[in-house]
């Protein structure tokens, strides 16, 4: 590396897409695009026979960095620091660039350089190709400048970011533990759902006995014009509640009966097989909103069933499986006929107070999870700011 320059081309720190050291054989560790996260981590490593690895697929080893080259994976942050191969050579998707640190370069420093906002923005600006198939060329790494640091300075910067990353992983582990605890509480509270004898104080009836009617949402065309009425779509339901950060809007008048009201229960009747049946409850997250026809409103009779209990029942793993079993396959999606949904049997406490107690025990855990999520979001902002401050190239 040049001693007097404040910034140097990234390619002086790393070798880009180095060739494999030898011929692959046996079972080869393999990483596809789905095996890395938007946070820049390896989610899993699978194995593939060497015969299935084509000559054009990139190879890597421990200490290398994977960077997604194709849109939108690159912009979303897809990539990973490679570890856990124990001396083996791995192979991956052709949509990865492999960066191998040169001698005298801390591998973590090279990896963290790819996690800055400046790196993503400049890589995006240099993408080539048509829409939907745009890629970052290998030449980008010769043009992108990174801070010129001694090995000791690289290690110090990487140590600081590692410390923040350790806190990040600790919070993620806490969230996972709370989610596991919630799943256990859900399974115990809804044990009657598994079938068999109905407990004392409970009843088992067709859902249609406690949900008087099902209402379809609007079928009007939607757009991004914020002057219209916000409309919830199938991707706006997450973890039992609406997500209103990515909305579409309807520009024509919508009947008043199709506007959402506090406490409305929404059921996703059309989606992929993994997401069909997602449900949530509307808590007036927006002053006014409607819902698209891929969703249906399934409000219960409030004298028999509280809406919060209905949502928890709809999200139960056993019920999600029953919903899948009554779905029909359409083009790239599956659909649930609401009439079939109302035929499913719901197990529920007769007393609404008991229903509330069950829901409250779950919501206490939800509040803890949400607090941890908030802390995680704050920490990730701190981490990104730290990376930008220490490692972003601006030469």
């Amino acid at each position: 590396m040049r001693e007097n320059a404040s910034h140097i081309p990234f390619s002086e720190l790393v070798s880009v897409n180095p060739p494999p050291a030898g011929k692959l054989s046996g079972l080869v560790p393999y990483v596809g695009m789905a095996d890395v996260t938007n946070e820049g981590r390896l989610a899993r490593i699978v194995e593939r026979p060497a015969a299935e690895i084509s000559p054009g697929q990139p190879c890597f080893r421990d200490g290398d960095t994977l960077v997604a080259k194709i849109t939108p994976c690159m912009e979303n942050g897809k990539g990973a620091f490679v570890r856990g191969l124990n001396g083996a050579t791995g192979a991956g998707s052709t949509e990865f660039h492999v960066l191998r640190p040169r001698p005298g370069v801390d591998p973590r420093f090279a990896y963290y350089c790819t996690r800055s906002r400046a790196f993503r923005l400049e890589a995006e600006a240099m993408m080539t190709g048509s829409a939907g198939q745009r890629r970052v060329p290998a030449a980008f790494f010769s043009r992108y400048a990174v801070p010129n640091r001694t090995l000791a300075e690289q290690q110090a910067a990487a140590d600081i970011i590692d410390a923040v990353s350790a806190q990040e992983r600790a919070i993620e582990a806490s969230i996972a533990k709370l989610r596991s605890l919630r799943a256990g509480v859900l399974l115990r509270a809804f044990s009657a759902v598994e079938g068999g004898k109905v407990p004392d104080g409970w009843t088992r009836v067709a859902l249609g006995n406690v949900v008087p009617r099902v209402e379809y949402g609007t079928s009007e065309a939607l757009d991004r014009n914020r002057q219209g009425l916000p409309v919830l779509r199938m991707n706006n339901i997450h973890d039992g509640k609406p997500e209103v950060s990515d909305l579409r809007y309807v520009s024509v008048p919508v009947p008043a009966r199709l506007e959402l009201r506090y406490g409305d229960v929404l059921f996703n009747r059309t989606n992929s097989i993994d997401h069909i049946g997602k449900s949530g409850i509307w808590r007036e997250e927006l002053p006014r909103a409607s819902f698209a026809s891929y969703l249906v409103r399934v409000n219960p009779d409030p004298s028999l069933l509280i809406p919060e209990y209905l949502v928890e029942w709809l999200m139960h793993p056993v019920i999600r499986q029953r919903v899948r079993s009554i779905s029909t396959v359409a083009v790239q999606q599956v659909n649930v006929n609401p009439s079939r949904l109302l035929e499913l049997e719901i197990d529920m406490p007769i007393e609404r107070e008991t229903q509330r107690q069950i829901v409250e025990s779950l919501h206490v855990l939800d509040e803890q999870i949400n607090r941890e999520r908030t802390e995680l979001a704050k920490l990730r902002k701190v981490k990104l700011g730290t990376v930008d401050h220490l490692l972003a190239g601006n030469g």
Side-chain angles (χ1 to χ4, degrees):
M1 293 186 293
R2 288 171 281 180
E3 294 183 1
N4 297 324
S6 63
H7 287 75
I8 57 175
F10 199 3
S11 58
E12 292 192 19
L13 294 185
V14 297
S15 172
V16 181
N17 300 322
K23 186 176 181 181
L24 300 176
S25 61
L27 292 176
V28 177
Y30 184 85
V31 175
M33 194 61 69
D35 300 321
V36 300
T37 71
N38 291 346
E39 288 71 44
R41 296 188 200 155
L42 272 176
R44 69 191 67 83
I45 299 175
V46 298
E47 289 185 330
R48 287 190 179 181
E52 295 181 5
I53 307 297
S54 66
Q57 291 185 266
C59 293
F60 48 82
R61 64 192 187 196
D62 285 333
D64 289 350
T65 291
L66 304 181
V67 177
K69 66 171 78 167
I70 192 169
T71 190
C73 299
M74 189 284 296
E75 299 95 311
N76 290 342
K78 286 268 191 176
F81 181 73
V82 180
R83 65 182 75 194
L85 298 186
N86 299 319
T89 296
S93 165
T94 56
E95 300 299 350
F96 286 127
H97 282 305
V98 175
L99 310 181
R100 179 163 298 159
R102 297 186 185 278
V105 174
D106 188 307
R108 301 170 300 156
F109 183 85
Y111 162 69
Y112 284 132
C113 282
T114 70
R115 304 308 304 166
S116 73
R117 277 175 284 209
F119 177 86
R120 301 283 162 190
L121 290 172
E122 295 200 29
E124 182 180 7
M126 276 197 62
M127 279 182 156
T128 60
S130 58
Q133 294 293 314
R134 300 176 68 240
R135 293 176 174 84
V136 178
F140 164 74
F141 299 96
S142 296
R143 300 179 186 176
Y144 179 69
V146 297
N148 187 10
R149 300 286 185 264
T150 66
L151 178 58
E153 291 170 338
Q154 294 174 20
Q155 291 169 336
D159 287 344
I160 291 171
I161 302 171
D162 276 351
V164 181
S165 297
Q167 296 178 53
E168 182 183 19
R169 290 191 296 273
I171 296 176
E172 289 171 340
S174 177
I175 292 174
K177 184 177 180 179
L178 287 168
R179 282 184 172 277
S180 178
L181 180 58
R182 189 192 195 280
V185 171
L186 180 71
L187 292 175
R188 288 194 299 274
F190 286 74
S191 58
V193 168
E194 303 285 348
K197 183 180 178 181
V198 178
D200 292 339
W202 286 57
T203 185
R204 179 178 293 155
V205 297
L207 184 61
N209 287 8
V210 292
V211 175
R213 64 184 180 277
V214 172
E215 298 174 280
Y216 287 82
T218 179
S219 298
E220 299 289 349
L222 306 179
D223 55 39
R224 295 179 180 271
N225 184 358
R226 292 175 178 268
Q227 299 301 313
L229 182 70
V231 177
L232 266 64
R233 300 168 295 144
M234 57 187 177
N235 63 320
N236 291 123
I237 303 294
H238 296 282
D239 296 331
K241 52 186 177 291
E243 169 55 60
V244 296
S245 63
D246 181 24
L247 291 170
R248 298 295 183 271
Y249 302 83
V250 58
S251 300
V252 300
V254 171
R257 63 181 176 79
L258 291 184
E259 290 200 26
L260 289 167
R261 301 180 296 271
Y262 187 90
D264 278 351
V265 175
L266 298 174
F267 174 85
N268 186 190
R269 69 177 182 88
T270 302
N271 209 320
S272 67
I273 191 65
D274 291 330
H275 298 292
I276 191 74
K278 291 194 303 181
S279 303
I281 188 167
W282 179 251
R283 296 293 192 190
E284 292 184 348
E285 283 77 4
L286 299 171
R288 292 181 63 212
S290 184
F291 58 106
S293 58
Y294 287 149
L295 304 173
V296 290
R297 182 159 48 195
V298 288
N299 288 348
D301 180 341
S303 68
L304 301 173
L305 180 64
I306 64 173
E308 294 85 356
Y309 183 94
L310 175 57
V311 171
E312 294 294 347
W313 178 80
L314 287 167
M315 294 196 304
H316 192 285
V318 171
I319 304 306
R320 292 291 299 275
Q321 185 56 46
R322 290 177 188 170
V323 166
R324 294 185 187 104
S325 71
I326 63 172
S327 63
T328 55
V329 179
V331 179
Q332 296 184 333
Q333 293 181 325
V334 295
N335 180 71
V336 173
N337 186 320
S339 297
R340 296 291 309 279
L341 175 67
L342 295 182
E343 294 173 359
L344 293 181
E345 290 186 325
I346 180 172
D347 292 274
M348 51 185 259
I350 297 171
E351 296 294 332
R352 286 177 297 167
E353 183 56 33
T354 306
Q355 298 172 18
R356 290 191 183 92
Q357 290 172 359
I358 291 173
V359 169
E360 182 59 28
S361 67
L362 295 168
H363 286 185
V364 167
L365 291 169
D366 288 337
E367 290 175 359
Q368 291 179 268
I369 291 171
N370 288 336
R371 284 196 294 270
E372 294 284 4
R373 281 176 169 172
T374 299
E375 289 304 310
L376 181 59
K378 291 178 181 177
L379 185 64
R380 283 178 173 166
K381 286 183 178 180
V382 169
K383 179 179 177 180
L384 185 56
T386 303
V387 170
D388 286 345
H389 176 69
L390 294 175
L391 304 178
N394 59 9

